[in-house]
Amino acid sequence: MALFNKQQISVLHNTRRIFVKKLLKDIGETDAIEHYCSRVKENDSIANKLWSKQLNATVDNALNNLTDLIGVRIVVHFIGDVYDIASRIRNCYVIQEEIDYITNPKDNGYRSLHMIVHVPVMTPNGPNGQTIPVEIQIRTVAMDCWASLEHQMLYKKEETPQMDLAKKELLHCAEALFATDMQMEAIQNIIHKVEKG
């Protein structure tokens, strides 16, 4: 498997660290963010994703065909916060692609807003003139909780009738959590109106 070596992985981590710091500065002061995290995709995951696309596991294929070698997740309190943070990002970056899985969730119930931006590759000596796509995911605490548990329960599990039932139940949970998100948003709006008098 001819994927990223230690030095290249180090460059990806450096790029990630510098971008996250800049991204948070560009978003600006806000109480909306509950927490954030970031990661560089591991070689095994990169290879599996390339193979699923019928591509050989090479650095060139990874750079040319994957948009989530570096990922940033921003978790916020309310649905409105998702779109506020997205708007702030749009004001500072050229968005290569945006997918709204909140308005149009995946079939399994997954909800999140995904944005792809290109950022400079940062070596220890500074930018090397290349860019790399970074996937930014923005979601509520409830959406993040569901996605984390769904991944933990179903990742690499075999397809069986029992697993189909589990998936249906997880879809019901996703719908219930989204209904809760909507209720929380409505309650927040009521409180804001009261505070404004």
Side-chain angles (χ1 to χ4, degrees):
M1 182 168 62
L3 276 172
F4 296 96
N5 61 36
K6 285 184 179 179
Q7 183 179 356
Q8 291 168 322
I9 291 288
S10 177
V11 168
L12 290 174
H13 278 289
N14 194 46
T15 300
R16 173 190 58 82
R17 280 191 297 270
I18 291 170
F19 171 68
V20 169
K21 188 175 180 180
K22 181 178 185 313
L23 176 66
L24 293 173
K25 183 179 177 185
D26 290 338
I27 288 171
E29 288 294 319
T30 176
D31 294 329
I33 298 176
E34 165 69 24
H35 66 271
Y36 65 90
C37 58
S38 63
R39 61 102 183 103
V40 171
K41 206 172 191 70
E42 294 183 1
N43 273 335
D44 286 350
S45 295
I46 293 169
N48 289 334
K49 194 157 188 180
L50 288 170
W51 291 330
S52 75
K53 294 174 175 280
Q54 311 294 311
L55 296 169
N56 291 326
T58 66
V59 169
D60 282 345
N61 277 342
L63 291 171
N64 293 325
N65 296 282
L66 301 183
T67 58
D68 64 344
L69 293 176
I70 296 173
V72 181
R73 181 173 302 142
I74 299 172
V75 179
V76 299
H77 298 110
F78 301 100
I79 294 170
D81 295 335
V82 172
Y83 295 104
D84 175 55
I85 296 295
S87 176
R88 293 177 185 221
I89 293 171
R90 274 188 225 102
N91 288 337
C92 300
Y93 298 88
V94 175
I95 309 301
Q96 302 296 320
E97 183 180 3
E98 184 171 328
I99 306 174
D100 187 346
Y101 292 119
I102 298 173
T103 304
N104 300 296
K106 291 186 178 182
D107 290 342
N108 67 349
Y110 174 87
R111 283 183 165 90
S112 187
L113 182 70
H114 291 197
M115 306 175 90
I116 308 295
V117 299
H118 279 262
V119 304
V121 174
M122 302 299 288
T123 69
N125 299 320
N128 69 358
Q130 296 177 307
T131 63
I132 188 170
V134 173
E135 180 180 82
I136 304 168
Q137 300 175 349
I138 315 168
R139 58 177 71 150
T140 66
V141 174
M143 294 170 195
D144 190 56
C145 175
W146 181 91
S148 176
L149 292 174
E150 190 267 354
H151 179 79
Q152 196 260 340
M153 287 189 276
L154 295 185
Y155 186 62
K156 292 187 177 178
K157 298 289 192 298
E158 291 182 26
E159 294 291 328
T160 65
Q162 290 83 5
M163 291 305 293
D164 286 342
L165 176 61
K167 287 178 181 179
K168 286 179 184 173
E169 291 302 318
L170 281 165
L171 177 58
H172 293 318
C173 288
E175 291 167 348
L177 284 170
F178 185 64
T180 300
D181 257 340
M182 295 292 284
Q183 286 178 298
M184 291 294 187
E185 185 92 3
I187 293 166
Q188 184 205 36
N189 289 337
I190 291 169
I191 292 170
H192 282 172
K193 285 178 183 176
V194 169
E195 287 174 340
K196 288 178 181 178

